[in-house]
Amino acid sequence: MKFKNLVIILVLSVVLISCAGSGSSGGSARGVNIKFVELPPKELAEGEEFSTTIQISNAVVNANGLNGELCLRDTITDTYGGVSDNSCFPVNLPSASQSDKSISPSIDEYTFTSKPYSNLDPSITNDVSIIADFRYSVDTTAGGVVCVKKPGANSPIIPSNCGTEQSLSVQQPDMPLRVSKILVRPTRINAGSVKLNTEITLSKSIAGELLSKQDSFERSSMASADIDFNVEINGYSASCGGISSGGKLNIRTNENEKVIKCSTLVTLNQDWLDVPVKISMGYGYRQSVVGEKIKLISNEVLSA
């Protein structure tokens, strides 16, 4: 199946509030959450099928909602029936709704029914796990503000930390890949210019697999992901190490943290200035959750 990529355009002021629930769940209780609300049975006889229901909630306030693909799989081949390889539903959830102090997520449920299990070998332990995978892609923005001082300026109204090394307060939505730190070190260039050496740390906040946007609906695992990555400081693109000419940042699957170093020149015509730092990212993500393990009982065992 092919579905349109999710495009999430989020303002920096969005605050996401947790959505509690019961059942087997995966990912975060905020942002995008997936869980089993009707678990598969613990035992199943040969020739029987099962159904299970999965809930997806979207606690992100945005203009485009959440669109992706939810698939169910088991850990036994199609030779024995069960969950077929193409057991998938398209997911189209509207944006969460926001009131004065709270956010209400949009929620939908999806029910899957397996084929009957067959041809079971009584000499083999036929225990299978049932796993739900949700694949989607996002465009998201994070940022902060750094105070920059003109070299030599000493006005009493200049904030005390202005012109020093600063760890910024990061504003961002609750999504799988987060900016966990922005550290800015200013360096004087001349009487009116300052170079901002900016160190950005990315980290995963939700268990899952980071994907390139074009691989968002691929069902096989990838060794690494090329994500869209751009940094603007004071409205101008910064120069960042490790970014390809196409604006791609490569992150290995086993990397839970990535540090990117950027720099840009800021010219000041006043004693000090609050300079915005904006980080834009686009990527795919796969969140998975494991339901009950089913013990399959063959006809031969049942008739023994």
Side-chain angles (χ1 to χ4, degrees), residues 239-243 249 259-262:
S239 174
C240 299
I243 310 299
L249 171 67
V259 177
I260 304 97
K261 295 183 178 180
C262 305

Side-chain angles (χ1 to χ4, degrees), residues 202 227-231 238-250 258 260-262:
L202 306 180
I227 73 167
D228 299 337
F229 189 83
N230 183 64
V231 177
S239 174
C240 299
I243 310 299
S244 71
S245 57
K248 303 290 185 180
L249 171 67
N250 184 265
K258 184 86 170 183
I260 304 97
K261 295 183 178 180
C262 305

Side-chain angles (χ1 to χ4, degrees), residues 215-292:
D215 298 326
S216 298
F217 299 104
E218 292 293 332
R219 295 175 190 172
S220 57
S221 295
M222 305 293 172
S224 65
D226 289 321
I227 73 167
D228 299 337
F229 189 83
N230 183 64
V231 177
E232 289 184 5
I233 299 177
N234 206 28
Y236 297 94
S237 292
S239 174
C240 299
I243 310 299
S244 71
S245 57
K248 303 290 185 180
L249 171 67
N250 184 265
I251 301 179
R252 298 191 306 274
T253 300
N254 60 357
E255 280 186 294
N256 290 320
E257 187 174 274
K258 184 86 170 183
V259 177
I260 304 97
K261 295 183 178 180
C262 305
S263 64
T264 193
L265 191 67
V266 175
T267 300
L268 293 99
N269 297 314
Q270 57 201 71
D271 285 347
W272 65 281
L273 181 67
D274 278 337
V275 173
V277 178
K278 179 183 174 183
I279 301 159
S280 301
M281 296 183 290
Y283 54 89
Y285 211 74
R286 180 189 290 123
Q287 287 176 234
S288 300
V289 57
V290 180
E292 290 282 356

Side-chain angles (χ1 to χ4, degrees), residues 91-246:
V91 174
N92 300 285
L93 285 174
S95 166
S97 57
Q98 185 173 15
S99 61
D100 290 342
K101 294 184 178 180
S102 65
I103 290 177
S104 299
S106 59
I107 298 173
D108 206 352
E109 295 183 352
Y110 307 84
T111 297
F112 294 83
T113 301
S114 74
K115 296 178 180 178
Y117 285 96
S118 59
N119 304 313
L120 301 180
D121 188 339
S123 65
I124 299 175
T125 301
N126 292 301
D127 290 344
V128 299
S129 295
I130 307 301
I131 304 165
D133 298 310
F134 182 42
R135 305 172 184 86
Y136 55 99
S137 65
V138 299
D139 288 323
T140 186
T141 302
V145 177
V146 58
C147 185
V148 182
K149 184 176 73 170
K150 187 176 183 179
N154 56 8
S155 170
I157 66 169
I158 299 174
S160 59
N161 69 329
C162 206
T164 63
E165 178 178 299
Q166 295 165 62
S167 182
L168 307 189
S169 174
V170 183
Q171 298 183 32
Q172 62 190 316
D174 193 354
M175 295 305 292
L177 188 63
R178 292 176 62 82
V179 177
S180 54
K181 188 176 183 180
I182 304 175
L183 184 65
V184 182
R185 299 182 180 94
T187 302
R188 172 176 173 161
I189 300 300
N190 54 44
S193 299
V194 174
K195 183 180 181 181
L196 297 183
N197 301 294
T198 305
E199 190 173 282
I200 299 164
T201 304
L202 306 180
S203 59
K204 288 183 180 179
S205 64
I206 299 173
E209 183 181 358
L210 187 66
L211 305 167
S212 304
K213 264 190 170 183
Q214 63 269 24
D215 298 326
S216 298
F217 299 104
E218 292 293 332
R219 295 175 190 172
S220 57
S221 295
M222 305 293 172
S224 65
D226 289 321
I227 73 167
D228 299 337
F229 189 83
N230 183 64
V231 177
E232 289 184 5
I233 299 177
N234 206 28
Y236 297 94
S237 292
S239 174
C240 299
I243 310 299
S244 71
S245 57

Side-chain angles (χ1 to χ4, degrees), residues 53-117:
T53 301
I54 297 159
Q55 181 187 94
I56 295 179
S57 63
N58 172 34
V60 178
V61 178
N62 71 311
N64 301 288
L66 177 66
N67 306 288
E69 182 183 62
L70 175 66
C71 297
L72 194 72
R73 58 187 168 96
D74 59 16
T75 53
I76 196 169
T77 68
D78 280 357
T79 304
Y80 302 99
V83 182
S84 60
D85 287 341
N86 61 348
S87 296
C88 300
F89 282 111
V91 174
N92 300 285
L93 285 174
S95 166
S97 57
Q98 185 173 15
S99 61
D100 290 342
K101 294 184 178 180
S102 65
I103 290 177
S104 299
S106 59
I107 298 173
D108 206 352
E109 295 183 352
Y110 307 84
T111 297
F112 294 83
T113 301
S114 74
K115 296 178 180 178
Y117 285 96

